[in-house]
């Protein structure tokens, strides 16, 4: 990689997850303050939690609605190119999370319109047409970190060229400017340390959308 080349960062998300949304907004800040270029991929909490009978009822119901937006995003990728992914995620996430509107057909339709995608893509929310591709995208991310994490997953090239991947960071509100840069530098430092697995503390507040 040349001195002026940007570091590629792969980011796997499920539009449903507010914490992944927080992290994604931080990554947009990181792109401004570090030579980093994000490529967006979908993963699925519904796929991740398939077959689990220990889920709380409320979360189990949420998994039913989780299929819709992620299926629409993967359909958009397949039919209109992967470069639309980030913009569509932003359009969806702003409505789902910042505006607090949740997942509805209206929200998905508005997001599609905002980024210039055809309204017909909404029909893929309730079909399994691209579930094979969705599962493959999900597996490409989760295989890097293991099954006992969620979304987001981030992967960057390590010193030896192999991918260094991690879940998170889970943070709110999304750091900006130099705060975003410091968190990025520190996250890469610990993630690249051989044998490092976990750093965690109890969450004391919910996502702060700004």
């Amino acid at each position: 990689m040349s001195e002026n080349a940007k570091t590629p960062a792969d980011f796997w998300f499920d539009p449903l997850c507010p914490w992944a949304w927080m992290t994604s907004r931080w990554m947009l800040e990181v792109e401004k303050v570090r030579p980093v270029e994000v490529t967006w991929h979908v993963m699925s909490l519904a796929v991740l939690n398939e077959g689990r009978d220990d889920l709380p009822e409320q979360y189990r119901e949420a998994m039913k609605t989780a299929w819709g937006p992620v299926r629409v995003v993967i359909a958009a990728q397949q039919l209109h190119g992967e470069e639309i992914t980030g913009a569509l995620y932003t359009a969806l996430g702003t409505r789902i999370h910042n505006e607090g509107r949740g997942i509805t057909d209206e929200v998905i339709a508005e997001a599609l319109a905002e980024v210039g995608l055809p309204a017909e893509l909404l029909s893929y929310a309730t079909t399994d047409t691209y579930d094979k591709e969705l599962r493959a995208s999900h597996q490409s991310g989760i295989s890097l970190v293991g099954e006992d994490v969620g979304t987001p997953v981030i992967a960057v090239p390590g010193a030896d060229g192999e991918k260094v991947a991690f879940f998170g960071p889970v943070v709110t509100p999304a750091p900006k400017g130099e705060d975003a840069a410091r968190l990025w530098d520190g996250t890469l430092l610990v993630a690249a340390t051989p044998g490092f697995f976990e750093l965690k503390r109890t969450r004391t507040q919910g996502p702060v959308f700004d």
Side-chain angles (χ1 to χ4, degrees), residues 30-155:
V30 171
E31 283 189 312
K32 298 175 185 177
V33 294
R34 289 291 184 267
V36 172
E37 185 172 19
V38 181
T39 300
W40 305 95
H41 310 273
V42 291
M43 61 184 296
S44 171
L45 290 173
V47 170
L48 186 66
N49 288 287
E50 277 183 326
R52 290 187 55 186
D53 55 11
D54 59 340
L55 297 176
E57 182 60 29
Q58 184 178 6
Y59 196 81
R60 188 178 296 112
E61 289 301 311
M63 290 303 95
K64 295 178 182 178
T65 62
W67 284 104
V70 76
R71 278 173 164 168
V72 170
V73 175
I74 196 71
Q77 282 185 344
Q78 297 299 308
L79 298 173
H80 298 277
E82 292 189 358
E83 64 275 4
I84 198 64
T85 309
L88 181 54
Y89 180 30
T90 291
L92 284 166
T94 299
R95 290 168 173 79
I96 294 170
H97 303 298
N98 290 60
E99 297 176 8
R101 296 169 61 189
I103 297 172
T104 65
D105 286 352
E106 181 180 21
V107 160
I108 297 174
E110 287 180 10
L112 290 169
E114 180 181 320
V115 298
L117 290 171
E120 291 76 15
L121 283 171
L122 177 60
S123 66
Y124 289 97
T126 54
T127 70
D128 62 0
T129 305
Y130 293 110
D131 277 11
K132 179 180 178 181
E133 290 79 4
L134 170 58
R135 291 175 183 277
S137 180
H138 172 90
Q139 188 59 34
S140 68
I142 208 71
S143 65
L144 297 172
V145 290
E147 296 286 341
D148 58 343
V149 301
T151 176
V153 170
I154 299 174

Side-chain angles (χ1 to χ4, degrees), residues 155-179:
V156 296
D160 60 358
E162 294 295 317
K163 284 187 176 181
V164 173
F166 49 89
F167 160 71
V170 176
V171 61
T172 192
K176 294 180 172 59
E178 193 55 31
D179 288 340

Side-chain angles (χ1 to χ4, degrees), residues 7-30:
T7 298
D10 292 292
F11 189 108
W12 283 264
F13 67 92
D14 185 318
L16 174 70
C17 180
W19 294 104
W21 175 247
M22 288 282 89
T23 309
S24 74
R25 300 311 90 183
W26 164 68
M27 282 303 304
L28 294 182
E29 284 291 314
V30 171

